[in-house]
Amino acid sequence: MKGPLFYSKILLFGEYGIIEDSKGLSIPYNFYKGTLKVSENPSKEAIKSNESLSRFASYLSQLQKDKPELVSFDLVALKSDVASGMYFDSSIPQGYGVGSSGALVAAMYDKYATDKITVLENLTREKLLKLKTIFSNMESFFHGKSSGLDPLNSYLSLPILINSKDNIEPTGIPSQSLDGKGAVFLIDSGIVGETAPMVTLFMESLKDNGFRKMLKSQFIKYTDSCVDDFLHGDVKSLFANTKKLSKVVLSHFKPMIPEQFHQIWQKGIDTNDYYLKLCGSGGGGYILGFTQDIDKAKESLKDYKLEVVYQF
């Protein structure tokens, strides 16, 4: 058995902000992918994945009982496949902010949901929101609270523009210019990040009046501008706003940035060689970088391996 491939994703803009209704922009990242498989000689990883799928299957069966109007699955087929040793064969690093659980959720929905919304039909806003709600409920098994965006991105394999909680749409992004000097890149922090504790930390911070004010007047404002700039291909304004966003994150989201990156984060702001931001919930995993000159950024960050995800 070998299912279709489901890709990782990168939330370019909107981390944390989308919880409070900022805009967001999420793009598929085809470098990493996963698929459901059964193997004759399972590896240690496959056995571990199968145990996790077994717990997930029980969770989905409960979800169907609790919310029959939302989603139903072919539980007989699912349980039989799990019993045969099915696992998720994935190159997507876990805890890196690139949607490892999202791809798995998308694969499970694609294979086992009955009466599923398919990618081929006319995706109205209602259908997209229904999918997002289903995925949010499914992915909560992994994170405690999920927006459902990662699986949606992986399932549709399209860039998704988040205008607000109840307004999302597939979008086109400016086509890449492969000889362009401008780039979006990833840096591997070498640390696995845990989503749940970071989100809890953010929710705690929201109780503080000053933090809430900063979020609205600065963080969300710059995030929304970055999304608009990126979609309209306004590179000059994009970098001005990304710099402001990078500063705000360094000042107010320090616990989400691994300590050894505080200095190089500041260096980017001071030199304008690159600007860093969180990739997903932070705490480890990947860090996202934006630069107008990828050669300069590589030179400036020569101790780190940069993975280019988009060029313009």
Side-chain angles (χ1 to χ4, degrees):
M1 181 182 78
K2 196 164 185 255
L5 291 171
F6 290 91
Y7 296 108
S8 54
K9 67 87 200 82
I10 289 173
L11 184 63
L12 282 183
F13 300 103
E15 70 291 346
Y16 291 111
I18 51 176
I19 299 177
E20 288 296 296
D21 242 9
S22 78
K23 285 189 177 186
L25 180 64
S26 185
I27 61 170
Y29 181 39
N30 300 356
F31 186 72
Y32 295 120
K33 46 196 162 298
T35 185
L36 291 165
K37 265 189 189 170
V38 171
S39 156
E40 296 296 306
N41 308 306
S43 64
K44 257 190 206 150
E45 282 78 21
I47 292 166
K48 205 171 151 197
S49 167
N50 173 256
E51 287 164 0
S52 170
L53 281 187
S54 172
R55 291 191 295 274
F56 191 34
S58 307
Y59 172 84
L60 295 179
S61 141
Q62 191 57 47
L63 176 62
Q64 179 173 311
K65 243 185 235 150
D66 295 344
K67 299 185 177 177
E69 71 299 332
L70 181 67
V71 65
S72 61
F73 300 97
D74 182 346
L75 293 170
V76 176
L78 170 56
K79 285 182 174 154
S80 146
D81 288 344
V82 168
S84 316
M86 178 175 74
Y87 68 102
F88 191 55
D89 183 19
S90 164
S91 65
I92 309 170
Q94 292 187 343
Y96 264 66
V98 286
S100 53
S101 59
L104 168 58
V105 166
M108 294 289 271
Y109 176 82
D110 181 65
K111 192 163 178 61
Y112 298 105
T114 52
D115 193 26
K116 68 180 179 186
I117 296 167
T118 73
V119 184
L120 301 171
E121 60 197 81
N122 178 22
L123 287 166
T124 60
R125 189 168 290 171
E126 286 69 36
K127 283 180 185 168
L128 275 175
L129 281 173
K130 177 156 192 201
L131 265 177
K132 182 174 175 283
T133 307
I134 291 168
F135 289 150
S136 161
N137 278 273
M138 288 174 71
E139 200 181 30
S140 292
F141 170 75
F142 300 98
H143 295 321
K145 186 178 195 285
S146 156
S147 68
L149 277 167
D150 287 5
L152 187 63
N153 204 296
S154 191
Y155 185 63
L156 299 178
S157 237
L158 291 167
I160 292 168
L161 169 63
I162 302 113
N163 292 303
S164 66
K165 278 194 184 98
D166 306 321
N167 181 350
I168 52 173
E169 55 185 314
T171 187
I173 57 174
S175 55
Q176 297 207 54
S177 138
L178 293 177
D179 50 2
K181 270 179 143 8
V184 181
F185 60 87
L186 296 173
I187 300 179
D188 185 346
S189 71
I191 306 162
V192 173
E194 290 274 341
T195 300
M198 293 291 130
V199 173
T200 307
L201 196 62
F202 175 74
M203 293 315 222
E204 278 302 306
S205 304
L206 279 180
K207 293 175 183 168
D208 175 72
N209 203 13
F211 186 85
R212 270 205 319 278
K213 265 198 186 125
M214 172 281 302
L215 204 71
K216 274 206 166 40
S217 67
Q218 296 177 43
F219 188 78
I220 289 178
K221 180 182 154 195
Y222 301 143
T223 295
D224 289 359
S225 300
C226 284
V227 170
D228 293 339
D229 293 340
F230 189 87
L231 291 177
H232 294 122
D234 187 342
V235 174
K236 198 175 167 203
S237 182
L238 171 68
F239 279 96
N241 283 309
T242 305
K243 181 175 186 174
K244 290 173 187 165
L245 191 57
S246 186
K247 274 184 180 166
V248 169
V249 173
L250 186 59
S251 299
H252 300 281
F253 289 77
K254 259 214 172 100
M256 284 82 164
I257 304 171
E259 210 165 301
Q260 66 271 41
F261 283 89
H262 291 180
Q263 221 175 335
I264 65 158
W265 200 289
Q266 184 64 53
K267 181 185 170 188
I269 294 164
D270 293 342
T271 60
N272 297 313
D273 287 350
Y274 57 86
Y275 305 124
L276 301 181
K277 62 186 291 297
L278 296 171
C279 179
S281 56
Y286 284 118
I287 288 167
L288 202 50
F290 286 73
T291 180
Q292 281 175 284
D293 185 337
I294 187 64
D295 298 327
K296 241 187 200 167
K298 279 180 174 164
E299 177 54 35
S300 202
L301 293 163
K302 57 178 181 292
D303 298 341
Y304 301 90
K305 192 172 151 280
L306 271 52
E307 213 171 282
V308 173
V309 295
Y310 186 90
Q311 276 176 280
F312 45 87

PDB file of all heavy atoms in Angstrom, residues 223-252:
ATOM      1  N   THR A 223       2.588  42.181  10.369  1.00  0.00           N
ATOM      2  CA  THR A 223       2.299  40.889   9.732  1.00  0.00           C
ATOM      3  C   THR A 223       1.363  41.090   8.540  1.00  0.00           C
ATOM      4  O   THR A 223       1.614  40.592   7.443  1.00  0.00           O
ATOM      5  CB  THR A 223       1.653  39.912  10.750  1.00  0.00           C
ATOM      6  OG1 THR A 223       2.608  39.624  11.772  1.00  0.00           O
ATOM      7  CG2 THR A 223       1.238  38.608  10.094  1.00  0.00           C
ATOM      8  N   ASP A 224       0.282  41.841   8.758  1.00  0.00           N
ATOM      9  CA  ASP A 224      -0.694  42.092   7.681  1.00  0.00           C
ATOM     10  C   ASP A 224      -0.024  42.796   6.500  1.00  0.00           C
ATOM     11  O   ASP A 224      -0.265  42.472   5.338  1.00  0.00           O
ATOM     12  CB  ASP A 224      -1.868  42.946   8.193  1.00  0.00           C
ATOM     13  CG  ASP A 224      -2.783  42.165   9.137  1.00  0.00           C
ATOM     14  OD1 ASP A 224      -2.498  40.971   9.367  1.00  0.00           O
ATOM     15  OD2 ASP A 224      -3.766  42.731   9.647  1.00  0.00           O
ATOM     16  N   SER A 225       0.849  43.784   6.810  1.00  0.00           N
ATOM     17  CA  SER A 225       1.552  44.508   5.736  1.00  0.00           C
ATOM     18  C   SER A 225       2.473  43.576   4.958  1.00  0.00           C
ATOM     19  O   SER A 225       2.557  43.656   3.728  1.00  0.00           O
ATOM     20  CB  SER A 225       2.379  45.655   6.315  1.00  0.00           C
ATOM     21  OG  SER A 225       1.538  46.558   6.995  1.00  0.00           O
ATOM     22  N   CYS A 226       3.179  42.691   5.674  1.00  0.00           N
ATOM     23  CA  CYS A 226       4.092  41.744   5.011  1.00  0.00           C
ATOM     24  C   CYS A 226       3.325  40.834   4.045  1.00  0.00           C
ATOM     25  O   CYS A 226       3.781  40.575   2.930  1.00  0.00           O
ATOM     26  CB  CYS A 226       4.812  40.875   6.045  1.00  0.00           C
ATOM     27  SG  CYS A 226       6.133  41.731   6.912  1.00  0.00           S
ATOM     28  N   VAL A 227       2.164  40.357   4.471  1.00  0.00           N
ATOM     29  CA  VAL A 227       1.349  39.479   3.613  1.00  0.00           C
ATOM     30  C   VAL A 227       0.960  40.232   2.342  1.00  0.00           C
ATOM     31  O   VAL A 227       1.128  39.732   1.228  1.00  0.00           O
ATOM     32  CB  VAL A 227       0.097  38.969   4.363  1.00  0.00           C
ATOM     33  CG1 VAL A 227      -0.861  38.256   3.402  1.00  0.00           C
ATOM     34  CG2 VAL A 227       0.488  38.033   5.504  1.00  0.00           C
ATOM     35  N   ASP A 228       0.467  41.453   2.504  1.00  0.00           N
ATOM     36  CA  ASP A 228       0.056  42.249   1.335  1.00  0.00           C
ATOM     37  C   ASP A 228       1.244  42.526   0.410  1.00  0.00           C
ATOM     38  O   ASP A 228       1.144  42.383  -0.808  1.00  0.00           O
ATOM     39  CB  ASP A 228      -0.572  43.585   1.779  1.00  0.00           C
ATOM     40  CG  ASP A 228      -1.900  43.378   2.501  1.00  0.00           C
ATOM     41  OD1 ASP A 228      -2.505  42.307   2.298  1.00  0.00           O
ATOM     42  OD2 ASP A 228      -2.316  44.264   3.265  1.00  0.00           O
ATOM     43  N   ASP A 229       2.375  42.919   1.010  1.00  0.00           N
ATOM     44  CA  ASP A 229       3.573  43.216   0.213  1.00  0.00           C
ATOM     45  C   ASP A 229       4.022  41.993  -0.582  1.00  0.00           C
ATOM     46  O   ASP A 229       4.372  42.089  -1.759  1.00  0.00           O
ATOM     47  CB  ASP A 229       4.745  43.657   1.115  1.00  0.00           C
ATOM     48  CG  ASP A 229       4.481  44.994   1.787  1.00  0.00           C
ATOM     49  OD1 ASP A 229       3.626  45.747   1.297  1.00  0.00           O
ATOM     50  OD2 ASP A 229       5.145  45.275   2.812  1.00  0.00           O
ATOM     51  N   PHE A 230       4.037  40.845   0.088  1.00  0.00           N
ATOM     52  CA  PHE A 230       4.516  39.615  -0.566  1.00  0.00           C
ATOM     53  C   PHE A 230       3.614  39.259  -1.749  1.00  0.00           C
ATOM     54  O   PHE A 230       4.094  38.966  -2.848  1.00  0.00           O
ATOM     55  CB  PHE A 230       4.551  38.458   0.439  1.00  0.00           C
ATOM     56  CG  PHE A 230       5.225  37.223  -0.098  1.00  0.00           C
ATOM     57  CD1 PHE A 230       6.599  37.058   0.009  1.00  0.00           C
ATOM     58  CD2 PHE A 230       4.492  36.224  -0.732  1.00  0.00           C
ATOM     59  CE1 PHE A 230       7.234  35.931  -0.502  1.00  0.00           C
ATOM     60  CE2 PHE A 230       5.111  35.090  -1.252  1.00  0.00           C
ATOM     61  CZ  PHE A 230       6.487  34.940  -1.127  1.00  0.00           C
ATOM     62  N   LEU A 231       2.303  39.310  -1.528  1.00  0.00           N
ATOM     63  CA  LEU A 231       1.353  38.933  -2.591  1.00  0.00           C
ATOM     64  C   LEU A 231       1.386  39.907  -3.759  1.00  0.00           C
ATOM     65  O   LEU A 231       1.160  39.530  -4.898  1.00  0.00           O
ATOM     66  CB  LEU A 231      -0.072  38.821  -2.027  1.00  0.00           C
ATOM     67  CG  LEU A 231      -0.300  37.643  -1.070  1.00  0.00           C
ATOM     68  CD1 LEU A 231      -1.713  37.665  -0.522  1.00  0.00           C
ATOM     69  CD2 LEU A 231      -0.040  36.306  -1.767  1.00  0.00           C
ATOM     70  N   HIS A 232       1.674  41.191  -3.461  1.00  0.00           N
ATOM     71  CA  HIS A 232       1.709  42.177  -4.546  1.00  0.00           C
ATOM     72  C   HIS A 232       3.107  42.328  -5.146  1.00  0.00           C
ATOM     73  O   HIS A 232       3.324  43.152  -6.037  1.00  0.00           O
ATOM     74  CB  HIS A 232       1.207  43.544  -4.039  1.00  0.00           C
ATOM     75  CG  HIS A 232      -0.242  43.512  -3.665  1.00  0.00           C
ATOM     76  ND1 HIS A 232      -0.712  43.826  -2.411  1.00  0.00           N
ATOM     77  CD2 HIS A 232      -1.328  43.149  -4.398  1.00  0.00           C
ATOM     78  CE1 HIS A 232      -2.030  43.664  -2.392  1.00  0.00           C
ATOM     79  NE2 HIS A 232      -2.433  43.260  -3.582  1.00  0.00           N
ATOM     80  N   GLY A 233       4.061  41.568  -4.622  1.00  0.00           N
ATOM     81  CA  GLY A 233       5.420  41.623  -5.162  1.00  0.00           C
ATOM     82  C   GLY A 233       6.136  42.939  -4.883  1.00  0.00           C
ATOM     83  O   GLY A 233       7.051  43.322  -5.609  1.00  0.00           O
ATOM     84  N   ASP A 234       5.708  43.634  -3.799  1.00  0.00           N
ATOM     85  CA  ASP A 234       6.353  44.902  -3.440  1.00  0.00           C
ATOM     86  C   ASP A 234       7.542  44.623  -2.517  1.00  0.00           C
ATOM     87  O   ASP A 234       7.439  44.673  -1.293  1.00  0.00           O
ATOM     88  CB  ASP A 234       5.333  45.828  -2.758  1.00  0.00           C
ATOM     89  CG  ASP A 234       5.886  47.226  -2.508  1.00  0.00           C
ATOM     90  OD1 ASP A 234       7.120  47.393  -2.531  1.00  0.00           O
ATOM     91  OD2 ASP A 234       5.081  48.152  -2.290  1.00  0.00           O
ATOM     92  N   VAL A 235       8.686  44.305  -3.137  1.00  0.00           N
ATOM     93  CA  VAL A 235       9.849  43.826  -2.390  1.00  0.00           C
ATOM     94  C   VAL A 235      10.386  44.877  -1.421  1.00  0.00           C
ATOM     95  O   VAL A 235      10.727  44.579  -0.269  1.00  0.00           O
ATOM     96  CB  VAL A 235      10.951  43.357  -3.371  1.00  0.00           C
ATOM     97  CG1 VAL A 235      12.225  42.994  -2.625  1.00  0.00           C
ATOM     98  CG2 VAL A 235      10.461  42.150  -4.156  1.00  0.00           C
ATOM     99  N   LYS A 236      10.432  46.134  -1.845  1.00  0.00           N
ATOM    100  CA  LYS A 236      10.998  47.197  -1.004  1.00  0.00           C
ATOM    101  C   LYS A 236      10.204  47.328   0.300  1.00  0.00           C
ATOM    102  O   LYS A 236      10.764  47.335   1.407  1.00  0.00           O
ATOM    103  CB  LYS A 236      10.967  48.510  -1.783  1.00  0.00           C
ATOM    104  CG  LYS A 236      11.896  49.554  -1.187  1.00  0.00           C
ATOM    105  CD  LYS A 236      11.956  50.820  -2.027  1.00  0.00           C
ATOM    106  CE  LYS A 236      12.644  51.891  -1.184  1.00  0.00           C
ATOM    107  NZ  LYS A 236      12.321  53.222  -1.604  1.00  0.00           N
ATOM    108  N   SER A 237       8.897  47.401   0.160  1.00  0.00           N
ATOM    109  CA  SER A 237       8.039  47.530   1.341  1.00  0.00           C
ATOM    110  C   SER A 237       8.067  46.249   2.184  1.00  0.00           C
ATOM    111  O   SER A 237       8.054  46.294   3.413  1.00  0.00           O
ATOM    112  CB  SER A 237       6.607  47.833   0.880  1.00  0.00           C
ATOM    113  OG  SER A 237       5.771  48.008   2.001  1.00  0.00           O
ATOM    114  N   LEU A 238       8.146  45.093   1.500  1.00  0.00           N
ATOM    115  CA  LEU A 238       8.199  43.810   2.211  1.00  0.00           C
ATOM    116  C   LEU A 238       9.380  43.772   3.172  1.00  0.00           C
ATOM    117  O   LEU A 238       9.237  43.384   4.340  1.00  0.00           O
ATOM    118  CB  LEU A 238       8.306  42.650   1.207  1.00  0.00           C
ATOM    119  CG  LEU A 238       8.579  41.267   1.818  1.00  0.00           C
ATOM    120  CD1 LEU A 238       7.392  40.783   2.635  1.00  0.00           C
ATOM    121  CD2 LEU A 238       8.895  40.231   0.731  1.00  0.00           C
ATOM    122  N   PHE A 239      10.560  44.202   2.706  1.00  0.00           N
ATOM    123  CA  PHE A 239      11.739  44.142   3.569  1.00  0.00           C
ATOM    124  C   PHE A 239      11.684  45.170   4.695  1.00  0.00           C
ATOM    125  O   PHE A 239      12.122  44.892   5.812  1.00  0.00           O
ATOM    126  CB  PHE A 239      13.023  44.234   2.749  1.00  0.00           C
ATOM    127  CG  PHE A 239      13.373  42.908   2.158  1.00  0.00           C
ATOM    128  CD1 PHE A 239      13.004  42.591   0.848  1.00  0.00           C
ATOM    129  CD2 PHE A 239      14.006  41.938   2.914  1.00  0.00           C
ATOM    130  CE1 PHE A 239      13.285  41.342   0.313  1.00  0.00           C
ATOM    131  CE2 PHE A 239      14.296  40.689   2.389  1.00  0.00           C
ATOM    132  CZ  PHE A 239      13.934  40.380   1.081  1.00  0.00           C
ATOM    133  N   ALA A 240      11.092  46.322   4.424  1.00  0.00           N
ATOM    134  CA  ALA A 240      10.943  47.334   5.475  1.00  0.00           C
ATOM    135  C   ALA A 240      10.048  46.784   6.589  1.00  0.00           C
ATOM    136  O   ALA A 240      10.349  46.924   7.786  1.00  0.00           O
ATOM    137  CB  ALA A 240      10.346  48.608   4.890  1.00  0.00           C
ATOM    138  N   ASN A 241       8.963  46.138   6.197  1.00  0.00           N
ATOM    139  CA  ASN A 241       8.022  45.596   7.191  1.00  0.00           C
ATOM    140  C   ASN A 241       8.544  44.342   7.878  1.00  0.00           C
ATOM    141  O   ASN A 241       8.286  44.115   9.054  1.00  0.00           O
ATOM    142  CB  ASN A 241       6.655  45.326   6.543  1.00  0.00           C
ATOM    143  CG  ASN A 241       5.876  46.619   6.340  1.00  0.00           C
ATOM    144  OD1 ASN A 241       5.719  47.409   7.263  1.00  0.00           O
ATOM    145  ND2 ASN A 241       5.406  46.848   5.119  1.00  0.00           N
ATOM    146  N   THR A 242       9.312  43.518   7.128  1.00  0.00           N
ATOM    147  CA  THR A 242       9.889  42.312   7.742  1.00  0.00           C
ATOM    148  C   THR A 242      10.905  42.709   8.810  1.00  0.00           C
ATOM    149  O   THR A 242      11.007  42.078   9.864  1.00  0.00           O
ATOM    150  CB  THR A 242      10.549  41.410   6.671  1.00  0.00           C
ATOM    151  OG1 THR A 242       9.587  41.118   5.660  1.00  0.00           O
ATOM    152  CG2 THR A 242      11.013  40.097   7.271  1.00  0.00           C
ATOM    153  N   LYS A 243      11.654  43.784   8.560  1.00  0.00           N
ATOM    154  CA  LYS A 243      12.626  44.274   9.544  1.00  0.00           C
ATOM    155  C   LYS A 243      11.895  44.693  10.826  1.00  0.00           C
ATOM    156  O   LYS A 243      12.305  44.341  11.944  1.00  0.00           O
ATOM    157  CB  LYS A 243      13.411  45.461   8.975  1.00  0.00           C
ATOM    158  CG  LYS A 243      14.453  46.003   9.951  1.00  0.00           C
ATOM    159  CD  LYS A 243      15.309  47.099   9.341  1.00  0.00           C
ATOM    160  CE  LYS A 243      16.432  47.522  10.299  1.00  0.00           C
ATOM    161  NZ  LYS A 243      17.357  48.479   9.681  1.00  0.00           N
ATOM    162  N   LYS A 244      10.790  45.442  10.671  1.00  0.00           N
ATOM    163  CA  LYS A 244      10.011  45.871  11.845  1.00  0.00           C
ATOM    164  C   LYS A 244       9.480  44.654  12.600  1.00  0.00           C
ATOM    165  O   LYS A 244       9.514  44.598  13.830  1.00  0.00           O
ATOM    166  CB  LYS A 244       8.836  46.761  11.409  1.00  0.00           C
ATOM    167  CG  LYS A 244       9.273  48.128  10.900  1.00  0.00           C
ATOM    168  CD  LYS A 244       8.070  48.887  10.338  1.00  0.00           C
ATOM    169  CE  LYS A 244       8.513  50.184   9.665  1.00  0.00           C
ATOM    170  NZ  LYS A 244       7.446  50.749   8.828  1.00  0.00           N
ATOM    171  N   LEU A 245       9.002  43.655  11.831  1.00  0.00           N
ATOM    172  CA  LEU A 245       8.456  42.441  12.446  1.00  0.00           C
ATOM    173  C   LEU A 245       9.551  41.685  13.204  1.00  0.00           C
ATOM    174  O   LEU A 245       9.352  41.234  14.332  1.00  0.00           O
ATOM    175  CB  LEU A 245       7.859  41.561  11.344  1.00  0.00           C
ATOM    176  CG  LEU A 245       7.015  40.361  11.764  1.00  0.00           C
ATOM    177  CD1 LEU A 245       5.842  40.778  12.639  1.00  0.00           C
ATOM    178  CD2 LEU A 245       6.488  39.619  10.534  1.00  0.00           C
ATOM    179  N   SER A 246      10.732  41.596  12.605  1.00  0.00           N
ATOM    180  CA  SER A 246      11.858  40.902  13.221  1.00  0.00           C
ATOM    181  C   SER A 246      12.238  41.552  14.556  1.00  0.00           C
ATOM    182  O   SER A 246      12.506  40.880  15.555  1.00  0.00           O
ATOM    183  CB  SER A 246      13.050  40.917  12.261  1.00  0.00           C
ATOM    184  OG  SER A 246      14.108  40.146  12.764  1.00  0.00           O
ATOM    185  N   LYS A 247      12.225  42.900  14.577  1.00  0.00           N
ATOM    186  CA  LYS A 247      12.527  43.642  15.816  1.00  0.00           C
ATOM    187  C   LYS A 247      11.509  43.354  16.908  1.00  0.00           C
ATOM    188  O   LYS A 247      11.859  43.127  18.064  1.00  0.00           O
ATOM    189  CB  LYS A 247      12.492  45.154  15.526  1.00  0.00           C
ATOM    190  CG  LYS A 247      13.774  45.740  15.002  1.00  0.00           C
ATOM    191  CD  LYS A 247      13.601  47.262  14.869  1.00  0.00           C
ATOM    192  CE  LYS A 247      14.857  47.920  14.352  1.00  0.00           C
ATOM    193  NZ  LYS A 247      14.609  49.300  13.922  1.00  0.00           N
ATOM    194  N   VAL A 248      10.218  43.387  16.527  1.00  0.00           N
ATOM    195  CA  VAL A 248       9.139  43.165  17.501  1.00  0.00           C
ATOM    196  C   VAL A 248       9.244  41.759  18.097  1.00  0.00           C
ATOM    197  O   VAL A 248       9.095  41.561  19.297  1.00  0.00           O
ATOM    198  CB  VAL A 248       7.744  43.369  16.832  1.00  0.00           C
ATOM    199  CG1 VAL A 248       6.626  42.896  17.742  1.00  0.00           C
ATOM    200  CG2 VAL A 248       7.539  44.844  16.490  1.00  0.00           C
ATOM    201  N   VAL A 249       9.549  40.780  17.233  1.00  0.00           N
ATOM    202  CA  VAL A 249       9.659  39.396  17.714  1.00  0.00           C
ATOM    203  C   VAL A 249      10.827  39.257  18.683  1.00  0.00           C
ATOM    204  O   VAL A 249      10.710  38.633  19.735  1.00  0.00           O
ATOM    205  CB  VAL A 249       9.779  38.395  16.530  1.00  0.00           C
ATOM    206  CG1 VAL A 249      10.069  36.989  17.033  1.00  0.00           C
ATOM    207  CG2 VAL A 249       8.489  38.394  15.715  1.00  0.00           C
ATOM    208  N   LEU A 250      11.959  39.892  18.359  1.00  0.00           N
ATOM    209  CA  LEU A 250      13.118  39.808  19.246  1.00  0.00           C
ATOM    210  C   LEU A 250      12.822  40.470  20.594  1.00  0.00           C
ATOM    211  O   LEU A 250      13.256  39.993  21.643  1.00  0.00           O
ATOM    212  CB  LEU A 250      14.346  40.454  18.587  1.00  0.00           C
ATOM    213  CG  LEU A 250      15.667  40.319  19.354  1.00  0.00           C
ATOM    214  CD1 LEU A 250      16.042  38.862  19.580  1.00  0.00           C
ATOM    215  CD2 LEU A 250      16.809  41.021  18.626  1.00  0.00           C
ATOM    216  N   SER A 251      12.060  41.556  20.572  1.00  0.00           N
ATOM    217  CA  SER A 251      11.750  42.252  21.828  1.00  0.00           C
ATOM    218  C   SER A 251      10.701  41.530  22.663  1.00  0.00           C
ATOM    219  O   SER A 251      10.792  41.490  23.876  1.00  0.00           O
ATOM    220  CB  SER A 251      11.219  43.661  21.542  1.00  0.00           C
ATOM    221  OG  SER A 251      12.192  44.396  20.861  1.00  0.00           O
ATOM    222  N   HIS A 252       9.672  40.982  22.008  1.00  0.00           N
ATOM    223  CA  HIS A 252       8.508  40.503  22.764  1.00  0.00           C
ATOM    224  C   HIS A 252       8.277  38.997  22.726  1.00  0.00           C
ATOM    225  O   HIS A 252       7.417  38.484  23.436  1.00  0.00           O
ATOM    226  CB  HIS A 252       7.245  41.218  22.271  1.00  0.00           C
ATOM    227  CG  HIS A 252       7.324  42.706  22.434  1.00  0.00           C
ATOM    228  ND1 HIS A 252       7.101  43.333  23.649  1.00  0.00           N
ATOM    229  CD2 HIS A 252       7.625  43.684  21.546  1.00  0.00           C
ATOM    230  CE1 HIS A 252       7.245  44.646  23.492  1.00  0.00           C
ATOM    231  NE2 HIS A 252       7.570  44.884  22.226  1.00  0.00           N
TER     232      HIS A 252
END
